[in-house]
Amino acid sequence: MVMFMPAGFARHKEVKPDKILFIPHDNRPISDKQTAEVVQKLGYEVVVPPDNLLGNRENLGNPDALWTWIHANAKDAKAAVISSDSLVYGSLVGSRKHNYNKGEVLERASRFRQFRKENPKLPLYVFGSIMRTPRSGEASGHEEPKYYRSYGGDIFRYTVLSDKEEVEGLSRRETKEKAFLQELIPKKDLADWLGRRGKNYAVNEELIKLTRGNVFDYLVLGRDDNAPYCQTHMESRHLSESGKDLGKARFQTMAGIDEMAMLLMARAVNNLRRDVPFVYTRYNWGRGPNTVPAYSDEKINISIQDAIIAAGGMPVTSPARADLVLMVNTNPNGKTYEANARSNDGSEREGTKYFADLVSDYVGKGYPVGIADIAFANGADNALMEQLKKRKLLFKIRAYSGWNTPTNSSGFVIGEGMLVRNMKKDDVDALLLTRYLDDWGYQANVRNTIARQLTWLRGEGVYGSLDAKREAVSLRTQTMMKRFATENLPPFPSLEEIYVYFPWNRLFESDVQHQVYKEIHFFKK
């Protein structure tokens, strides 16, 4: 068992902190310890399964062992935030690659009924995924079955046409294209992919029934990487219809998935505190709220409104009333670029100064500002960060996120931004440092440099599988991150030691640790 506990907490004290049970959908730092750390800083005991039970890229996780673990650790918990993917398939990646039959996965889902009987008063907040539809084999990151590398683009296009056919119908040309793709994609591969999705859909239907039966206090199903037309969008439409009688206070489908744990952790804390935070949202000029960001199937304002509700908050129309002023950095043209694009070189772009002026104005008025940095996916907007640095705003805002897909980033900062108002300034700064090192330093800058230098290092290893180069990459990345911190961040004592690891053996995500992590104590048994 792993417990994230407040610094200096003595186990012999009579007054124990409230305990929150947390099962993430895998062991990536952002999914697991970085989410737990936010709540831990409020003084809660966040109890998380050991790494060997959680899934990663290679190990799909151990659902039966996780069920044993949750029964053993539920006693005295004040709330539980649970990934249904972990308890049904082992992990998020497990939901895409498992070989369990339909009976097995439905039986695991049904175990929630017994868990509720044994823990009738435990608030239970559950998040699950509607399987993603990557645009190509490359976009899948090798987290789909092997055939997706060859036929991923064709499968994606086939589902685009299937979804569109249901919603608005197809042209004659599109009908022929769909028939051609149906012949092109090997039937056994398409049957395997759609068959696994069918099991996922059946599980999600069961989870909705469990919510209707008061087994869960709240359920959210996240649309993993998707598009305006695709299989994920199609399934979400049907599941939303299936659960519409529950209302958004009990059930939602939402764009995104990796941010759901942070949103539900915020919901758990807000409910424990009997608190409903008010959130005011302000966008950059241009398309702003009408932006349909990359990896999503809907306008960003819809995703943000849903995320506020999921976290237990309420949207408001005045910043003066808000507990969180959420500022959303979108591109005026409504497009989302990738953080490794040449345009993300730090040069001022259209909308940069306007948005930075807005931040300056709101911070100057004393508003609690959080920034969802979504002009680029998978990393920070370097031009914006340069403006924030120049104006000495980096540690005057209260929360920031720009680490992955736009909805991942906006959802994470909503959850964290609701909670930081109850924290000490040092703890808020520590959380900001983690995001700046990861989202700005690594994702938007150092990662690109390291990727170009991989061929310089000895041994076998590529971007998606570092293998023999893994240790050398860690050391080289640490050197670059220390240089980045020196050039861009104030001289916090916690920046004297920076370590970088690659827990999933690839460059896409890293575990950037600075001295602040010494505040977290791990207890295993």
Side-chain angles (χ1 to χ4, degrees):
M1 177 170 68
V2 181
M3 293 189 289
F4 297 81
M5 303 181 67
F9 173 71
R11 294 174 64 86
H12 62 273
K13 286 185 178 179
E14 291 183 7
V15 180
K16 295 182 66 176
D18 283 346
K19 169 178 159 182
I20 297 177
L21 208 61
F22 175 38
I23 298 183
H25 59 209
D26 55 43
N27 69 351
R28 283 173 295 168
I30 193 72
S31 306
D32 186 0
K33 66 182 179 182
Q34 288 180 7
T35 295
E37 182 191 7
V38 176
V39 178
Q40 175 259 340
K41 286 187 177 298
L42 288 170
Y44 292 91
E45 177 187 355
V46 183
V47 185
V48 185
D51 263 11
N52 67 309
L53 299 188
L54 296 173
N56 54 44
R57 284 181 80 199
E58 311 301 331
N59 170 22
L60 301 186
N62 191 330
D64 292 328
L66 283 170
W67 272 111
T68 300
W69 183 91
I70 193 175
H71 281 286
N73 288 279
K75 184 180 178 182
D76 301 327
K78 299 298 183 182
V81 174
I82 305 298
S83 162
S84 60
D85 288 342
S86 288
L87 287 176
V88 174
Y89 315 105
S91 64
L92 178 62
V93 175
S95 73
R96 307 166 185 160
K97 300 177 76 170
H98 71 86
N99 289 307
Y100 301 120
N101 62 45
K102 185 176 179 180
E104 287 176 294
V105 294
L106 286 175
E107 187 277 327
R108 290 197 189 110
S110 72
R111 295 180 196 179
F112 279 111
R113 288 192 176 87
Q114 183 60 32
F115 183 76
R116 168 54 75 203
K117 287 180 182 178
E118 295 174 7
N119 302 276
K121 296 182 179 180
L122 177 66
L124 189 55
Y125 310 104
V126 175
F127 63 103
S129 68
I130 301 170
M131 283 179 68
R132 68 179 186 167
T133 311
R135 290 177 176 270
S136 65
E138 182 181 6
S140 74
H142 294 187
E143 292 172 25
E144 299 286 331
K146 287 184 178 180
Y147 55 75
Y148 211 88
R149 300 177 200 177
S150 301
Y151 293 99
D154 299 316
I155 292 172
F156 171 79
R157 180 61 181 165
Y158 175 78
T159 74
V160 166
L161 295 171
S162 297
D163 188 19
K164 186 179 180 183
E165 187 173 27
E166 278 194 11
V167 175
E168 61 179 84
L170 299 179
S171 66
R172 182 179 300 178
R173 181 177 179 178
E174 288 171 331
T175 301
K176 289 182 178 180
E177 182 186 2
K178 184 185 174 189
F180 171 77
L181 290 169
Q182 203 161 4
E183 291 299 317
L184 175 68
I185 303 165
K187 288 182 171 50
K188 63 179 178 57
D189 294 339
L190 186 59
D192 176 79
W193 193 75
L194 291 174
R196 195 173 290 105
R197 297 194 72 98
K199 298 170 195 174
N200 176 261
Y201 188 90
V203 166
N204 286 335
E205 282 190 311
E206 178 64 17
L207 296 177
I208 293 170
K209 291 177 184 176
L210 292 172
T211 308
R212 191 174 289 116
N214 298 313
V215 174
F216 305 145
D217 292 82
Y218 174 82
L219 169 69
V220 60
L221 297 177
R223 297 193 292 278
D224 205 351
D225 297 353
N226 72 109
Y229 280 125
C230 67
Q231 189 72 18
T232 306
H233 178 258
M234 179 195 291
E235 292 167 6
S236 178
R237 286 191 293 103
H238 295 308
L239 289 167
S240 294
E241 181 68 21
S242 176
K244 68 178 181 180
D245 60 299
L246 293 168
K248 286 191 173 184
R250 299 189 60 205
F251 166 67
Q252 292 187 94
T253 63
M254 291 174 52
I257 184 61
D258 287 342
E259 71 275 23
M260 300 305 171
M262 185 71 257
L263 290 170
L264 295 202
M265 291 289 270
R267 187 185 189 94
V269 170
N270 287 330
N271 286 349
L272 286 171
R273 291 173 174 257
R274 293 179 172 82
D275 191 11
V276 180
F278 290 170
V279 181
Y280 171 78
T281 306
R282 179 64 186 265
Y283 296 86
N284 202 352
W285 75 273
R287 294 284 296 171
N290 295 312
T291 297
V292 178
Y295 309 101
S296 180
D297 60 356
E298 66 184 13
K299 295 176 181 178
I300 189 61
N301 68 315
I302 297 173
S303 299
I304 284 175
Q305 295 291 307
D306 284 346
I308 292 169
I309 293 169
M314 181 182 295
V316 293
T317 56
S318 167
R321 297 180 59 207
D323 299 301
L324 169 65
V325 171
L326 177 68
M327 306 196 66
V328 187
N329 179 35
T330 49
N331 288 306
N333 64 7
K335 294 183 179 180
T336 307
Y337 303 107
E338 289 294 326
N340 62 359
R342 289 185 177 182
S343 58
N344 196 20
D345 62 0
S347 301
E348 191 173 303
R349 303 185 328 283
E350 188 177 32
T352 302
K353 189 175 183 301
Y354 176 85
F355 188 79
D357 286 344
L358 278 179
V359 175
S360 295
D361 180 46
Y362 281 15
V363 168
K365 291 177 179 176
Y367 296 148
V369 170
I371 294 177
D373 189 3
I374 64 170
F376 293 89
N378 302 309
D381 178 348
N382 280 315
L384 171 63
M385 303 313 290
E386 285 296 325
Q387 285 288 326
L388 297 181
K389 180 178 73 171
K390 184 171 71 175
R391 299 172 189 227
K392 295 181 168 47
L393 293 170
L394 288 172
F395 293 92
K396 290 181 182 178
I397 65 172
R398 303 283 288 168
Y400 170 88
S401 183
W403 54 276
N404 205 344
T405 71
T407 54
N408 290 162
S409 296
S410 58
F412 195 92
V413 78
I414 287 167
E416 183 175 297
M418 286 183 180
L419 300 182
V420 295
R421 64 199 177 98
N422 298 307
M423 293 181 194
K424 296 180 294 185
K425 180 68 165 61
D426 287 350
D427 288 333
V428 175
D429 288 348
L431 293 175
L432 284 168
L433 270 179
T434 295
R435 297 268 55 85
Y436 293 153
L437 288 171
D438 197 340
D439 309 358
W440 181 20
Y442 180 73
Q443 300 290 348
N445 292 284
V446 171
R447 178 175 59 170
N448 299 335
T449 304
I450 290 292
R452 291 193 298 267
Q453 294 180 1
L454 272 178
T455 55
W456 302 359
L457 305 176
R458 293 181 179 178
E460 295 293 323
V462 294
Y463 184 98
S465 293
L466 295 174
D467 299 337
K469 297 182 179 182
R470 194 169 176 177
E471 184 176 352
V473 168
S474 286
L475 293 173
R476 185 175 287 261
T477 303
Q478 283 168 195
T479 299
M480 292 184 184
M481 288 296 293
K482 289 174 184 176
R483 185 184 307 137
F484 172 87
T486 300
E487 293 174 354
N488 294 284
L489 299 170
F492 285 93
S494 66
L495 295 177
E496 292 174 8
E497 298 177 33
I498 298 176
Y499 302 96
V500 184
Y501 306 99
F502 297 94
W504 279 31
N505 190 35
R506 64 182 186 183
L507 284 178
F508 185 72
E509 65 276 288
S510 66
D511 183 2
V512 182
Q513 299 184 13
H514 51 115
Q515 204 170 349
V516 68
Y517 279 102
K518 292 183 179 177
E519 298 176 7
I520 300 176
H521 304 278
F522 298 89
F523 297 91
K524 297 186 178 183
K525 64 180 180 181

